[in-house]
Amino acid sequence: MNFDKFHLPIKNGEILSEITGKKLDIERVIKETDQLFHQCRGNEPVPQFNKAPIHIPLSKKIFERLFRLFAKPYSIMEPTQIYVNSKGNVYPEWKIKLDDEYENLLRKITREVNIEDFGGVGDGKTDNTVAFKKAIGKGFVKVKVPEGIFITKGIALSSWTCLVGSGKGKTTIKLHDAAPKGTRLITNANHWKGNHHIFVQGMSLNWNVERLGDVKKTSTWGNHSSCLTYANVTYGWVKDVEAINPGLHCFDISSTLYNYAGDGFLAKGGSQYVWLDNLNGFGFGDDGVTTHHSEYLFISNSHMCDPSGRAHQKGSSNSNGFEVDDGSRNVLMVNNSTARCFGGIEIKAHQNSSAASNVKVVGHISVNDNRSFNFRHIGHHKSTDTESKSAYNISAVNLAAINPIFTELYKDSTPRGLVVSAYKNVVINHLTLIGDPDYDYKENPVIAIQYRARNVVLNNISVRGFKSASADIKVYGGENRADSVSINHIDVNDSASMAIDIGKDTEDVQIHQVMN
């Protein structure tokens, strides 16, 4: 399978079972993982080794202080509980609340209209910007968009609005050739005051990057230049939508502004209670799905592949399929997939922002991504960096990393199946890594636990086919060493010459049951 733009992500659950060869009782595995996480969280890790911190320039301090005008203190929340229903579907405890609000949305709809009633024409030529504006009005409306290609310079959705097409590839909403580079194809109407109860379903969103010609960079700044942006939205849904060639992101669940007030701060105006389901995206300049300073997010049955990377300098494109970024909290991802991205799933933060925390992943397929699963808090990795205040609490079950590779997106990045840097309390349970025995991994490890990571548990790890790797699992030592690592039930078959490599100066690494 190519896992290309035509991939049907709704089948990811059954495909994952075929890839791993495991018929897991997901409910039992989730409970087991919760127990491991509870034990991990209660463990007092080996302290980090710290040197005198690097001096921070005055200009950078002023920059952070300005962002604090739009920020509030960050805190680690209690992790969301997740459940499995009678059909085997995984969902977060707060989905009951979101379902109630969906029923509330349906009750509030007082008009059901067709875009054609307002002069809309899906001929791929007519400008429908005014037609969409009139149809949406002040909300309390369901706007139906039939089959066709509807050109617009951008759509702003009011609260209490449903925008519903006829399906991916049938209804296409496409940006006008004259739309500025920073245009968001679909977004909510008021990023500062916020919006609520917005539903988008059944369409393809074409950002029309071709209108820009051969520009070096396809995005402007912040949360602009994407196919769909929810900024400061409470109660939002995006279902059965395809995003095509955005300058920045396919789907961005965000705060009013991206915020860089420093570790320990959170942007004001974040989104919350948003569900993304059965989405496809490709050709994105930065990330497929990204989240910033938002909480209570559910991302399921979606597939992102083949980024352009053109939002970055050529050869330095950190283009991830799914990115849970700065300040995101209580995010659940279920049965998603990625192919040929820089990162399959990246859970992270920039140096001058709080890290994503309380992130849970249940089922993911990564194919030919450079770094299948990459968890890090940039700028908090070394002994001369400040210790992260926010990089805590990740659990992931039933993952598959298939042949991570070198990529032109980020030329200096070496392939990895899993990387954990700076985070504390990370539990990985049932991870299958499948390499290509004929591929040259250039003596790089498959799994890297590094850069001051603490309280990391690897459980039920299966590795095969990485013959040219240096080690299947490496725990890095030295001044920036990882520590307090537990490695259990490892099955290695026809892979690297060394199954597990433990670096010097580590104090607390436990290994149980390795089969080689």
Side-chain angles (χ1 to χ4, degrees):
M1 297 184 68
N2 287 328
F3 287 87
D4 59 13
K5 62 185 180 181
F6 302 110
H7 176 65
L8 300 176
I10 202 72
K11 296 184 177 181
N12 281 343
E14 60 185 77
I15 294 171
L16 191 54
S17 295
E18 294 174 10
I19 291 170
T20 64
K22 298 177 181 179
K23 298 292 184 181
L24 296 177
D25 181 337
I26 288 296
E27 187 170 15
R28 184 191 64 78
V29 170
I30 288 173
K31 288 179 179 178
E32 177 186 54
T33 306
D34 284 345
Q35 291 172 353
L36 290 170
F37 180 78
H38 181 73
Q39 295 167 5
C40 175
R41 197 178 177 194
N43 182 51
E44 186 66 33
V46 173
Q48 292 187 357
F49 175 74
N50 296 309
K51 286 185 173 181
I54 296 174
H55 174 71
I56 300 175
L58 179 61
S59 59
K60 192 171 184 179
K61 291 180 180 179
I62 293 172
F63 180 78
E64 289 185 358
R65 291 286 180 181
L66 290 173
F67 270 107
R68 289 179 191 178
L69 297 173
F70 308 99
K72 57 186 178 182
Y74 179 94
S75 62
I76 306 293
M77 306 170 73
E78 277 300 305
T80 292
Q81 294 299 309
I82 57 178
Y83 302 104
V84 182
N85 66 17
S86 59
K87 295 181 179 179
N89 297 319
V90 179
Y91 63 96
E93 58 182 335
W94 51 263
K95 184 177 176 292
I96 297 170
K97 179 177 183 177
L98 188 62
D99 290 345
D100 288 342
E101 293 300 331
Y102 177 68
E103 295 300 322
N104 194 19
L105 168 61
L106 296 182
R107 286 192 296 269
K108 292 284 187 177
I109 297 297
T110 59
R111 296 183 297 132
E112 184 169 321
V113 301
N114 190 304
I115 191 64
E116 293 178 333
D117 299 336
F118 296 83
V121 180
D123 60 0
K125 299 176 182 179
T126 303
D127 184 353
N128 296 279
T129 306
V130 174
F132 277 110
K133 186 175 181 178
K134 288 180 178 179
I136 293 164
K138 295 183 179 180
F140 301 95
V141 63
K142 178 179 180 180
V143 179
K144 299 179 73 173
V145 188
E147 293 188 25
I149 300 174
F150 292 82
I151 305 297
T152 178
K153 293 176 182 175
I155 298 172
L157 301 176
S158 302
S159 300
W160 305 111
T161 297
C162 297
L163 183 68
V164 180
S166 297
K168 298 176 187 175
K170 295 180 179 179
T171 297
T172 297
I173 298 178
K174 182 178 180 180
L175 264 185
H176 194 286
D177 285 344
K181 186 195 291 188
T183 303
R184 308 171 184 95
L185 179 48
I186 293 180
T187 190
N188 54 298
N190 197 321
H191 289 194
W192 287 97
K193 291 184 179 180
N195 293 101
H196 54 89
H197 296 88
I198 296 177
F199 182 95
V200 177
Q201 183 179 34
M203 61 189 68
S204 294
L205 305 179
N206 187 341
W207 197 76
N208 188 19
V209 72
E210 295 82 5
R211 75 189 191 282
L212 301 180
D214 191 25
V215 296
K216 287 186 177 180
K217 185 177 180 181
T218 55
S219 63
T220 53
W221 64 280
N223 58 22
H224 292 74
S225 310
S226 295
C227 280
L228 184 145
T229 301
Y230 281 174
N232 197 0
V233 168
T234 302
Y235 308 127
W237 300 261
V238 185
K239 289 176 171 285
D240 313 323
V241 175
E242 175 188 45
I244 303 169
N245 297 332
L248 191 65
H249 306 307
C250 292
F251 306 94
D252 186 357
I253 310 304
S254 177
S255 51
T256 304
L257 298 172
Y258 292 168
N259 194 284
Y260 304 103
D263 188 17
F265 290 89
L266 182 72
K268 295 177 181 177
S271 295
Q272 56 182 343
Y273 301 108
V274 177
W275 184 12
L276 310 180
D277 183 56
N278 192 25
L279 309 181
N280 286 73
F282 59 91
F284 36 97
D286 192 8
D287 302 309
V289 174
T290 188
T291 71
H292 299 83
H293 299 281
S294 298
E295 59 200 29
Y296 302 115
L297 310 179
F298 184 22
I299 306 167
S300 58
N301 306 308
S302 296
H303 177 67
M304 301 290 138
C305 67
D306 301 306
S308 72
R310 292 176 64 193
H312 301 274
Q313 183 177 344
K314 189 175 182 180
S316 301
S317 299
N318 179 36
S319 293
N320 304 295
F322 296 85
E323 178 189 69
V324 184
D325 206 350
D326 303 334
S328 301
R329 301 184 294 181
N330 283 13
V331 180
L332 173 61
M333 309 175 71
V334 177
N335 286 344
N336 300 299
S337 56
T338 50
R340 296 169 294 279
C341 303
F342 167 71
I345 295 179
E346 182 163 84
I347 302 170
K348 82 171 215 303
H350 298 87
Q351 180 273 332
N352 51 1
S353 189
S354 297
S357 63
N358 292 351
V359 181
K360 296 188 176 186
V361 183
V362 180
H364 189 92
I365 304 168
S366 166
V367 179
N368 295 150
D369 297 317
N370 177 253
R371 300 206 161 182
S372 303
F373 306 100
N374 193 14
F375 311 149
R376 58 181 178 152
H377 194 176
I378 299 167
H380 298 270
H381 291 176
K382 299 181 180 179
S383 59
T384 51
D385 297 332
T386 57
E387 186 171 345
S388 175
K389 302 174 184 177
S390 51
Y392 285 84
N393 303 348
I394 299 172
S395 65
V397 304
N398 199 23
L399 310 179
I402 302 174
N403 193 21
I405 59 173
F406 290 92
T407 177
E408 291 296 311
L409 289 167
Y410 211 118
K411 290 186 177 181
D412 294 332
S413 181
T414 52
R416 299 279 194 278
L418 170 68
V419 183
V420 182
S421 308
Y423 266 89
K424 299 181 180 73
N425 305 342
V426 178
V427 175
I428 310 296
N429 193 16
H430 290 284
L431 166 61
T432 300
L433 304 109
I434 302 172
D436 179 353
D438 298 321
Y439 190 80
D440 186 3
Y441 294 100
K442 300 187 184 299
E443 292 293 313
N444 288 292
V446 183
I447 295 175
I449 312 302
Q450 61 183 25
Y451 284 140
R452 307 207 292 173
R454 293 292 188 274
N455 280 1
V456 178
V457 177
L458 303 179
N459 196 58
N460 294 311
I461 310 299
S462 174
V463 190
R464 69 176 186 265
F466 293 88
K467 284 190 170 184
S468 57
S470 61
D472 293 307
I473 301 173
K474 181 166 184 176
V475 180
Y476 279 79
E479 287 186 354
N480 307 319
R481 60 187 172 272
D483 221 323
S484 299
V485 179
S486 177
I487 303 171
N488 311 300
H489 308 292
I490 310 302
D491 184 5
V492 176
N493 184 16
D494 197 26
S495 200
S497 57
M498 186 181 299
I500 301 174
D501 181 5
I502 308 299
K504 66 178 182 179
D505 299 324
T506 55
E507 300 178 32
D508 179 21
V509 179
Q510 302 178 34
I511 303 172
H512 301 282
Q513 294 187 348
V514 178
M515 293 185 290
N516 193 346

